[in-house]
Structure formats: structure tokens, C-alpha cells
Amino acid sequence: MKTNKNILVVMPVEDEHKKTLEKHAKGSHFVYSSYDKVTPEMIKEANIIIGNVAPFYLKEAKNLEWLQLNSAGADPYVKKGVLPENVILTNATGAYGPGVAEHMLAVLFSLQKKLHLYRDNQNQCQWHDEGAVMSLRGGTLLIVGLGDIGLYFARLMKNFGYHIIGIKRRLGQVPQDVDELHTMDDLDKLLPEADVVFSVLPDSKATRNIYNKQRFKEMKNTAILLNAGRGSAVNTEDLCEALIQGEIYGAGLDVTDPEPLQTQHKLWNIENVIITPHISGDFHHPATLYRIVDIAAGNLQRYMAGDGLMNVVDMETGYKF
């Protein structure tokens, strides 16, 4: 049993969230701050940090034992030298399913019904018919990175009659609402079948530029690419070319490479693209913060009891074990 820890919470928590956390670490000292107001002194004193802090601060975190991220992505924190040795790193996988999946569903439907074009017309005060649209129902959905977000998206899309194919690092039991399960070895075989490709890949050596010129040529010219993982999975120049040449129908991007996307980048002006500035996760959806607090509180209870933690991140891959 562990006691009397200095616990720094760097998230926009309310009183009810504080009570949830504090009941699992009685006798510990809690300090609450935010990403932009946290100080090096707070970080130096902390044994436990709950929430994302700027990675450059962590070199001075001499007392740190465990960092619980409020993000699912851990790529800035697994780089060599960011965390002191022997610090446990856990992420918030499981918190973002509703927020990200619902956001990307709205983006997909906007593309299929050309709502983005009608919004452009509205901004120009133009009464103009944009022609035929796609049906919301049916088709094949390929989810590349079938974690919590991918499974939540599968559940939503199953309501619209989609045949759902998932790709994971390792095969296992086919989850509910998924029709087929594959590994990345089958990506090139599956891309030509997909009407919608939903990418939820983290940033790693293995995932960078997966969607490139050759892969866009493999996709249907009516296919839509959705990316809510990391922008580095997509070769941006190749995507622009594929869209301009009509090799794919459109793209919905909550992440880009680079981020932020430069003001003059040609991707902004390509017609069948909807771009949002990496906000589908964050704390915008009302369920997200509650889910993160529940994950952190559960891990806090385990840590104080000396038990193993959930969502421990593999420092080599950036994924949870």
C-alpha cells in the first residue's frame, strides 16, 4: 500500500472529478493546474502526474514515478530522454470513442451529402444545385486501427448497413459489429474493397506515409478517406494529387501533416476535403472528461494498492501493451 504521494492533476477538472480522484489516494497531496499554467516547480515535486504536460518539462521530474496521460496518443512521451528512467507511462485509451467517432461520422455524412459545398455556396450567397449525392446506407467500411475509437465508429456505421472490416496489429476474436478482422499485411488487398477508409493509427515508424501514391491508386475513385489518428500516416502531397486527379472521392481530416497546416497549403483549397484542427478528441465532447477521470481514478486506486496499471504504454511502439 502506497501513501502520501504528491499528485499533480493537469486537466480541467470540476469538484466532482476531484472527489473521484481524491477518494482513491487518501492522505496524498493533490495540486490542480492546467497545461498552460503548470510550473516546473509543480512538476519537480510530483510523484504522480495525471494529464499531459509539455514533454520538455519532464527532464526535471526527478520524483516522478508514474505519468497518466489524458490522451490516447503517447508519441511525444515515448521519445528517448523525455521521461526519466523507470517512470510508468499510461494513456487514456478508451476515453475518446464517442467524441472522435461521432465527429468523424458527421464529417463523412457531410462529404457524402455535399454539405461542405453548400456551406461554401452559402458563404458566397450562391443558390446553386451541386448535383447527385451518395447514400448514407450500405457499402464497405475499412477501419485501420481497430481500437476503442474504431470500435465505436463501427457500432455507429453498423446502423447504416455497412459491411465492416477491421485491421489490428494482432488477430483475435472478431468483435461485435465487425464482420471481418485482418492485420496490416492485408491492407493492399482490402483497400480496393472499401467505400470508406477510417484511419486511427498512431505515429510510429511503421505507420508513417502508409497512405501514399500507390495506396491511393489502389482505392476506389468513389472512396472517402477519414483520418483521426495521426497526420503522419498520410503523405499529404500524394493525397492532394489523388484528390485533384480524382483517384479518390474525398477526405475528412481531423489531423494533418504538418500540424498546424500552413495557411498557403494547397490542401485547404481542394474541393472535396473537410479539415478540422485536431479537435475531435480533446475535451469537447461531454463524455470525454468523465471517461478520462474514470480511467485515471481506476489506475490511481490500483497504483496506491500496489497493483498493475491499465493502459500501460509500450515505450518501443507507443501503443498500450
Side-chain angles (χ1 to χ4, degrees):
M1 182 72 69
K2 300 177 181 180
T3 58
N4 301 323
K5 296 295 182 182
N6 291 323
I7 301 173
L8 172 62
V9 180
V10 188
M11 295 193 303
V13 290
E14 304 291 341
D15 287 343
E16 60 182 312
H17 304 129
K18 293 177 182 179
K19 289 176 183 177
T20 299
L21 293 170
E22 290 173 11
K23 72 180 180 182
H24 294 306
K26 291 179 180 175
S28 292
H29 176 62
F30 281 79
V31 173
Y32 295 93
S33 186
S34 62
Y35 185 87
D36 57 338
K37 293 182 180 177
V38 69
T39 66
E41 290 70 28
M42 292 177 185
I43 292 169
K44 286 177 185 177
E45 294 176 4
N47 305 121
I48 298 168
I49 298 176
I50 299 174
N52 292 25
V53 296
F56 65 83
Y57 277 143
L58 293 170
K59 293 180 181 179
E60 303 303 320
K62 304 302 183 186
N63 295 310
L64 187 62
E65 302 167 11
W66 163 41
L67 171 60
Q68 168 68 59
L69 299 176
N70 60 248
S71 62
D75 34 295
Y77 300 92
V78 298
K79 294 175 181 175
K80 189 168 290 188
V82 171
L83 284 174
E85 288 188 22
N86 302 319
V87 172
I88 302 169
L89 178 65
T90 56
N91 67 11
T93 293
Y96 290 96
V100 177
E102 290 176 12
H103 178 90
M104 298 310 293
L105 182 73
V107 170
L108 173 63
F109 286 177
S110 294
L111 285 164
Q112 289 175 324
K113 294 301 181 185
K114 298 185 176 178
L115 299 185
H116 60 303
L117 301 184
Y118 287 108
R119 182 66 187 192
D120 290 346
N121 292 345
Q122 181 180 336
N123 288 336
Q124 299 297 321
C125 305
Q126 292 182 357
W127 188 275
H128 178 66
D129 187 335
E130 292 292 345
V133 297
M134 296 179 175
S135 173
L136 302 182
R137 300 200 61 82
T140 297
L141 165 65
L142 176 61
I143 301 174
V144 187
L146 190 66
D148 172 65
I149 295 168
L151 284 170
Y152 201 96
F153 193 74
R155 195 173 309 131
L156 294 174
M157 294 293 283
K158 202 65 180 173
N159 293 321
F160 293 88
Y162 272 75
H163 179 79
I164 296 173
I165 304 172
I167 287 181
K168 295 184 71 173
R169 284 182 299 151
R170 293 183 289 269
L171 290 177
Q173 185 174 355
V174 180
Q176 185 176 355
D177 298 316
V178 174
D179 298 296
E180 300 178 33
L181 189 62
H182 297 259
T183 66
M184 289 296 289
D185 292 338
D186 292 333
L187 179 63
D188 292 304
K189 179 180 75 174
L190 295 170
L191 280 173
E193 300 179 22
D195 298 290
V196 178
V197 178
F198 181 45
S199 182
V200 208
L201 294 172
D203 177 60
S204 71
K205 289 179 182 177
T207 62
R208 286 172 201 147
N209 287 323
I210 274 188
Y211 305 101
N212 53 36
K213 183 179 295 187
Q214 181 56 41
R215 294 241 160 86
F216 291 128
K217 289 182 184 299
E218 293 171 0
M219 294 169 64
K220 294 179 179 180
N221 61 12
T222 54
I224 292 173
L225 172 68
L226 303 174
N227 190 10
R230 287 293 182 268
S232 58
V234 177
N235 184 304
T236 306
E237 294 305 313
D238 289 354
L239 173 62
C240 290
E241 190 64 19
L243 288 161
I244 291 167
Q245 297 300 323
E247 291 173 347
I248 65 172
Y249 176 79
L253 309 173
D254 188 49
V255 290
T256 61
D257 183 25
E259 280 188 12
L261 193 64
Q262 303 100 320
T263 306
Q264 300 302 318
H265 200 289
K266 61 184 174 183
L267 187 61
W268 288 113
N269 297 311
I270 295 176
E271 186 177 72
N272 267 14
V273 180
I274 294 177
I275 301 169
T276 53
H278 204 152
I279 47 75
S280 65
D282 212 344
F283 299 111
H284 295 95
H285 192 289
T288 301
L289 183 55
Y290 283 98
R291 285 175 165 238
I292 295 169
V293 169
D294 284 345
I295 291 167
N299 263 347
L300 191 56
Q301 183 178 31
R302 295 181 188 93
Y303 191 80
M304 301 305 286
D307 297 331
L309 302 183
M310 300 293 290
N311 288 5
V312 175
V313 174
D314 181 346
M315 300 299 284
E316 292 297 318
T317 66
Y319 292 90
K320 75 168 188 175
F321 281 104

